[in-house]
Amino acid sequence: MSTLIRRTASILRLKSCYSDLCSTRLLHSRSGGRRNGAPTGLYGFEHLKTAKGFQRFVDEAIERSAELVNFISEKPSSAEVIRAMDEISDTVCCVVDSAELCGQTHPEREFVEEANQASVRINEYLHYLNTNHTLYDAVKKAEQDSHLLSKEAHRAANHLRIDFEKGGIHLCPQKLDRVNQLNIDIFHLGREFSQNIITDPGHVDIFPVSRIPKHVHHLLKPIYRLTSGTSSESLRSWDNRKEKGFRITTEPRTLHSILQWTSDDEVRKMAYVKGNAVPHANHEVLDRLIAARHELSQIMGCRSYSDFMVKPNMASSPDVVMSFLLEMSKMIKPKADEEFKAIQDFKREKSGQRCVDLEPWDEAYYTAMMRSSAYNLDSSVVASYFALPQCIEGLKMLVESLFGATFHSVPLAPGESWHPDVLKMALCHPEEGDMGYLYLDLYSRAGKYPGCANFAIKGGRWISESEYQLPVVALVCNFTGSHNSSTARLNHGEVETLFHEFGHALHSLLSRTDYQHFSGTRVALDFAEMPSNLFEYYAWDYRVLRRFAKHYSTGEVIPEKLVESLQGARDMFAATELQRQISYALVDQTLFGEQPHPPRDTSSIVADMKRQYTSWKHVEGTHWQIRFSHLINYGAGYYSYLYAKCFAATIWQKLCQEDPLSLTTGTALRTKLLQHGGAKDPADMLNDLVGDGILRHSNAGIVPDITSFSDEMKLVEDKQKELAL
């Protein structure tokens, strides 16, 4: 869909993600939900007391938007036009994204189905709004009246005009009709791609059960078969003749556990190949998506979809992105090759075979063994210091130390929650009062969105001169356990993920923009992941961890040596992981770059690029791109994660590292960056926060300075050693 109303697509983390939601004009109470216990609907929206309420929710959004369109047609002042446009955005976006959140997390089928229908209806209305010349002409006039607008209002007018034009409103009717149809097609293809991943995760059947380590049995489905030689006469003694095995469903979480813990090479190979070869239906879906996006970009006068998508970002062009990615690839290759050789040598030592090859399905198994050998890490011991309630206390501590604010529990009104596990927190400042609200839906359950994500339910905006609509967000994860259970303990990777998503949440909660159009994470795509990557550092720093990471039974503070071991294990194969992410970004740019004639098979492109840009071989019959959902949500924008890592490394080293929990550090982060959302230019905010040395200009675009990141990866030190030899 085009981007007038919803400026940022869902943003997914490597292991996870987040989306932007908004609220209607009728639901802007400062409480973010009722505190008096009176019944309400989902997320505090009155219409959503029942599943059928989604129908009225859509109706009212359309009715109110029509009123605002009529108001704008009467040619009010430029400032009033921008304010009315923002309310249209706030009103419609609410339905779009509350429907998405409901569809991803609600346990009742009726709610999910009604949310999906609401999504289709409101997206159809979005196309009407995005091709409305009354609105477009009013926005263009407002932009020209820059002297009558505040800086943020003028920026909003400029962005709205660009967003209209990205939807093709300036084209002739025939081309505009085609753009509209392509946007609808792209929307449905994205949904189909994502749904196929859920409905066809793939599976392999393994016999006997002894081939699978006992501690992962709980992830698998028991299956049975007759033993060989069983005759029809002996079927009566079924219990004595059946053989037990396991069905491995090769969705990412289970697949990773199998690859990490299973010593049987053949089991790992079978699981790896199947897990990277489904869903088959997505071959055609991806081809159609690439073709539709390319045709759209051509109509819009761009060389490629990458050109179309990157232009409004910091990078400004695919050439700048590719130059940055190739620079990173060249920088990391020697160390990644060195790590590959170390893993290969370890496998040969363990197997007793001097010439055995290292296979892609070996990576997780042998690197886990090498980390354990080097640092004597026991995952259950590590997890014993990260009971989920204690991790939530850690988030509270972080907010209080950095921003002088507190998180406290808020009672949920009847009907407000979508599941008993959901908790609600209020962010409160002693001088400013309530600043925003956070729903926590942290435990896994059947049918729930499978990753970790941050959904912003309301964006911040001024409703009147005296009333500010507070931001409301939902943090969704899939940890094992329940809020009624004291056994939920996280591995350190999950702690890092929690802090990552919390960084997104804080970006929204601390935002204080005039318009929801710029609230929180509504920023340039290659800037959006920076705060979340920055807050990952807090999950690794012992000065932070010792404040909340305590043994679930003894209360002992996590030992510093254990944290040092975690850090060492993380760094052992950091170059290998970075090389993988660079290759993903390169594939993303290539698939959505300029298209050859005839089009190349995506699997051959992926295979060639893996051979060229990683140390690992490609396995015939695997097609990881058909289950890589970032191609939908981050099409031509996956490089943004690498931008974020570099920006975050510089901010951490220059601003946070010396005293990461100081109020001075937090105040700088809040006042110079987080509170502005997208209302200021990202480059200006980064320079204001850090000064020189965080970014550089390249070919009319902006790329991160990689010095701090290179230093963190010890690449400069390694290069100096290499030159000395």
Side-chain angles (χ1 to χ4, degrees):
M1 83 187 162
S2 55
T3 52
L4 162 63
I5 300 301
R6 189 180 181 218
R7 290 189 53 251
T8 49
S10 300
I11 298 181
L12 305 177
R13 194 184 181 218
L14 270 51
K15 310 168 188 174
S16 59
C17 66
Y18 80 92
S19 302
D20 289 309
L21 291 82
C22 320
S23 82
T24 69
R25 67 188 180 96
L26 300 177
L27 298 166
H28 50 61
S29 65
R30 294 186 64 82
S31 65
R34 299 186 176 187
R35 290 187 176 181
N36 59 8
T40 185
L42 281 178
Y43 328 126
F45 297 137
E46 293 289 339
H47 289 309
L48 301 185
K49 290 179 179 178
T50 66
K52 295 293 184 185
F54 268 106
Q55 297 175 19
R56 184 59 195 154
F57 203 24
V58 175
D59 291 341
E60 188 166 288
I62 293 174
E63 290 166 8
R64 177 55 183 165
S65 296
E67 292 174 7
L68 290 164
V69 171
N70 288 335
F71 171 73
I72 292 171
S73 71
E74 295 169 359
K75 300 183 178 179
S77 71
S78 293
E80 289 173 324
V81 166
I82 300 306
R83 185 65 63 191
M85 287 293 300
D86 196 60
E87 187 177 345
I88 293 175
S89 179
D90 192 45
T91 301
V92 179
C93 184
C94 164
V95 181
V96 173
D97 293 325
S98 60
E100 181 181 349
L101 177 59
C102 180
Q104 297 282 12
T105 61
H106 207 289
E108 295 180 26
R109 192 72 232 161
E110 185 182 8
F111 267 97
V112 172
E113 290 174 354
E114 289 290 340
N116 289 338
Q117 290 176 25
S119 179
V120 171
R121 283 186 63 205
I122 201 67
N123 272 286
E124 290 174 353
Y125 184 67
L126 272 168
H127 290 295
Y128 158 74
L129 290 173
N130 288 325
T131 55
N132 187 302
H133 280 272
T134 297
L135 300 181
Y136 177 53
D137 292 341
V139 165
K140 283 199 299 182
K141 182 179 181 301
E143 184 182 12
Q144 292 164 2
D145 290 342
S146 58
H147 59 287
L148 301 177
L149 301 175
S150 67
K151 285 186 178 179
E152 185 174 335
H154 182 245
R155 183 175 174 84
N158 173 259
H159 279 248
L160 284 165
R161 193 258 306 162
I162 292 171
D163 288 345
F164 269 116
E165 291 172 359
K166 283 185 71 177
I169 196 169
H170 59 298
L171 300 173
C172 69
Q174 185 180 6
K175 287 185 176 181
L176 179 56
D177 286 345
R178 184 57 184 158
V179 166
N180 286 338
Q181 186 58 54
L182 286 168
N183 276 318
I184 292 171
D185 292 346
I186 289 166
F187 172 73
H188 287 293
L189 286 167
R191 283 202 155 203
E192 185 178 352
F193 189 96
S194 300
Q195 188 58 41
N196 287 341
I197 293 173
I198 295 171
T199 57
D200 182 17
H203 71 269
V204 293
D205 294 341
I206 303 296
F207 292 93
V209 294
S210 58
R211 300 179 75 185
I212 307 293
K214 289 184 178 180
H215 69 278
V216 297
H217 284 189
H218 69 285
L219 297 173
L220 312 178
K221 178 184 177 181
I223 55 174
Y224 301 90
R225 69 180 180 185
L226 292 177
T227 56
S228 59
T230 301
S231 65
S232 58
E233 290 80 10
S234 66
L235 286 177
R236 293 179 182 178
S237 57
W238 165 250
D239 286 342
N240 295 325
R241 298 285 185 173
K242 66 182 180 180
E243 180 183 26
K244 183 180 180 181
F246 280 115
R247 171 161 292 180
I248 301 172
T249 301
T250 53
E251 54 82 28
R253 188 174 183 178
T254 303
L255 177 61
H256 178 73
S257 295
I258 292 296
L259 293 176
Q260 183 173 350
W261 300 112
T262 304
S263 61
D264 189 315
D265 287 5
E266 189 62 27
V267 171
R268 293 200 311 274
K269 178 180 178 180
M270 291 168 64
Y272 176 88
V273 171
K274 175 60 72 171
N276 286 280
V278 290
H280 299 291
N282 274 353
H283 282 290
E284 182 188 359
V285 175
L286 182 57
D287 287 344
R288 289 164 58 201
L289 179 70
I290 290 170
R293 285 177 166 175
H294 184 65
E295 183 182 350
L296 172 68
S297 64
Q298 296 271 288
I299 295 173
M300 299 300 297
C302 297
R303 294 177 300 162
S304 65
Y305 184 71
S306 178
D307 188 22
F308 178 67
M309 288 300 294
V310 173
K311 191 174 293 184
N313 294 341
M314 298 177 74
S316 81
S317 79
D319 292 342
V320 172
V321 173
M322 288 299 288
S323 176
F324 168 74
L325 293 175
L326 292 174
E327 179 186 12
M328 293 280 285
S329 179
K330 183 179 180 181
M331 176 187 75
I332 203 65
K333 189 178 189 305
K335 191 164 187 177
D337 286 345
E338 182 184 310
E339 290 176 1
F340 180 88
K341 186 177 185 304
I343 304 167
Q344 185 176 60
D345 290 345
F346 185 81
K347 177 184 179 180
R348 290 174 175 176
E349 177 189 339
K350 288 297 178 182
S351 66
Q353 302 178 53
R354 297 186 62 182
C355 296
V356 68
D357 289 334
L358 184 63
E359 306 290 351
W361 53 84
D362 293 329
E363 181 187 351
Y365 178 69
Y366 286 108
T367 55
M369 196 182 298
M370 291 171 74
R371 286 182 173 114
S372 178
S373 175
Y375 294 100
N376 194 30
L377 284 170
D378 183 322
S379 59
S380 63
V381 171
V382 174
S384 69
Y385 291 96
F386 294 109
L388 186 51
Q390 282 300 119
C391 293
I392 294 173
E393 290 302 311
L395 301 181
K396 293 179 180 179
M397 176 275 297
L398 198 59
V399 164
E400 186 166 5
S401 298
L402 284 173
F403 309 115
T406 60
F407 264 121
H408 59 271
S409 297
V410 177
L412 285 151
E416 183 180 0
S417 175
W418 55 100
H419 191 274
D421 283 348
V422 174
L423 303 174
K424 185 178 180 182
M425 312 289 290
L427 179 64
C428 187
H429 191 277
E431 296 171 2
E432 301 172 44
D434 287 348
M435 301 179 70
Y437 301 89
L438 175 68
Y439 292 106
L440 297 175
D441 182 3
L442 302 180
Y443 301 96
S444 64
R445 58 180 178 270
K448 181 182 174 184
Y449 173 80
C452 294
N454 186 72
F455 294 83
I457 297 169
K458 286 186 185 180
R461 69 184 184 107
W462 282 104
I463 297 166
S464 68
E465 291 184 1
S466 60
E467 187 173 10
Y468 194 80
Q469 175 173 286
L470 296 179
V472 183
V473 299
L475 203 165
V476 177
C477 292
N478 272 277
F479 303 136
T480 302
S482 165
H483 80 278
N484 293 319
S485 168
S486 60
T487 61
R489 293 188 283 276
L490 309 186
N491 61 51
H492 191 266
E494 290 173 324
V495 176
E496 183 185 51
T497 296
L498 180 64
F499 275 65
H500 175 103
E501 298 302 342
F502 190 63
H504 282 313
L506 285 176
H507 201 179
S508 293
L509 293 171
L510 295 174
S511 175
R512 282 302 175 271
T513 56
D514 291 349
Y515 304 100
Q516 67 83 36
H517 195 72
F518 293 131
S519 180
T521 55
R522 295 172 181 273
V523 297
L525 188 59
D526 49 13
F527 181 66
E529 290 289 339
M530 191 283 295
S532 54
N533 273 263
L534 178 63
F535 277 88
E536 287 184 22
Y537 283 90
Y538 285 89
W540 289 98
D541 193 288
Y542 182 68
R543 293 165 294 180
V544 177
L545 295 177
R546 70 185 179 189
R547 298 279 297 272
F548 73 89
K550 300 176 182 179
H551 196 278
Y552 73 96
S553 63
T554 67
E556 174 199 9
V557 173
I558 190 169
E560 187 169 8
K561 287 187 177 180
L562 179 57
V563 176
E564 290 172 352
S565 293
L566 285 169
Q567 294 166 343
R570 171 199 62 190
D571 295 341
M572 279 186 75
F573 306 105
T576 299
E577 178 56 33
L578 178 61
Q579 187 181 67
R580 179 169 25 252
Q581 297 308 316
I582 293 169
S583 72
Y584 288 170
L586 286 165
V587 167
D588 175 49
Q589 284 296 308
T590 303
L591 291 181
F592 295 113
E594 295 185 53
Q595 299 298 300
H597 297 287
R600 281 188 67 193
D601 173 60
T602 61
S603 293
S604 66
I605 293 173
V606 168
D608 287 350
M609 299 198 79
K610 183 168 186 179
R611 296 186 189 102
Q612 185 174 357
Y613 295 112
T614 80
S615 310
W616 298 77
K617 67 174 68 171
H618 170 73
V619 179
E620 293 300 324
T622 61
H623 322 276
W624 63 260
Q625 77 278 8
I626 60 176
R627 70 187 298 175
F628 191 57
S629 59
H630 293 76
L631 294 176
I632 305 302
N633 300 282
Y634 254 97
Y638 194 76
Y639 75 92
S640 299
Y641 282 112
L642 296 165
Y643 263 46
K645 285 182 179 295
C646 293
F647 287 138
T650 304
I651 294 170
W652 178 260
Q653 287 188 24
K654 294 195 173 186
L655 179 68
C656 306
Q657 192 169 45
E658 183 176 341
D659 190 357
L661 292 173
S662 78
L663 185 60
T664 301
T665 297
T667 299
L669 285 173
R670 181 185 173 192
T671 59
K672 295 184 178 183
L673 190 138
L674 296 174
Q675 75 178 26
H676 300 298
K680 286 190 173 183
D681 182 86
D684 291 343
M685 287 190 282
L686 290 168
N687 280 324
D688 187 33
L689 182 66
V690 173
D692 294 337
I694 191 166
L695 54 83
R696 50 196 171 91
H697 294 272
S698 171
N699 230 7
I702 291 171
V703 296
D705 187 287
I706 62 174
T707 305
S708 294
F709 188 65
S710 175
D711 179 56
E712 181 181 297
M713 295 284 294
K714 299 182 174 61
L715 297 178
V716 174
E717 174 185 316
D718 291 348
K719 187 67 176 177
Q720 289 172 344
K721 287 181 181 178
E722 182 184 324
L723 292 173
L725 295 174

